[in-house]
Amino acid sequence: MHCPFCRNPDSRVIDSRTSDDGLSIRRRRQCPKCGGRFSTSETASLNVIKRSGVVEPFSRDKVVAGVRKACQGRPVTDPDLAMLAQTVEETIRQTGTSQINANEIGLSILQPLRELDEVAYLRFASVYQAFESLEDFESAIAALRAGTA
Ligand SMILES: [Zn+2]
């Protein structure tokens, strides 16, 4: 990162903060040579650690693909799914993390999916929270009815 004043190739970060939407990091820098201050904006990277241990970049498309199955036959549109994937990404980025387990993504999908479609939510939750019996469904439905899920 060259200093815009004297072209010195080195600079020191004096402040960094995540933007409100969580999608970028704004850094305040100072040139050690001339003392000039300037700002840079960088896209924050977000990686997913899969169960196999493989690390790959977060992908909204993969969130949509995962949720789409649970939404089969439900009145959920592609724009609904795109909005859900955006909400999930922003929620994760706002935590300030740069790496997240694939399973945690599944869990962070639950809340926005519940608001979108309760049947799709139950299908998805049964996989990600490993429902094993009818009782698990019953308690999830009871929580939905009580508004506490
Ligand atoms: Zn400088």
Side-chain angles (χ1 to χ4, degrees), residues 13 18 44 48 51 71 74 79 82 106 123 127 129 132 136:
V13 176
T18 307
V48 180
R51 237 157 297 190
C71 293
R74 301 300 303 166
R123 287 175 180 161
V127 175
Q129 296 184 321
E132 286 173 351
D136 288 336

Side-chain angles (χ1 to χ4, degrees), residues 13-32:
V13 176
I14 52 179
D15 184 38
S16 83
R17 61 189 58 187
T18 307
S19 62
D20 289 340
D21 61 9
L23 298 180
S24 62
I25 298 173
R26 196 173 157 77
R27 291 203 165 93
R28 198 78 188 125
R29 294 173 181 273
Q30 183 166 33
C31 171

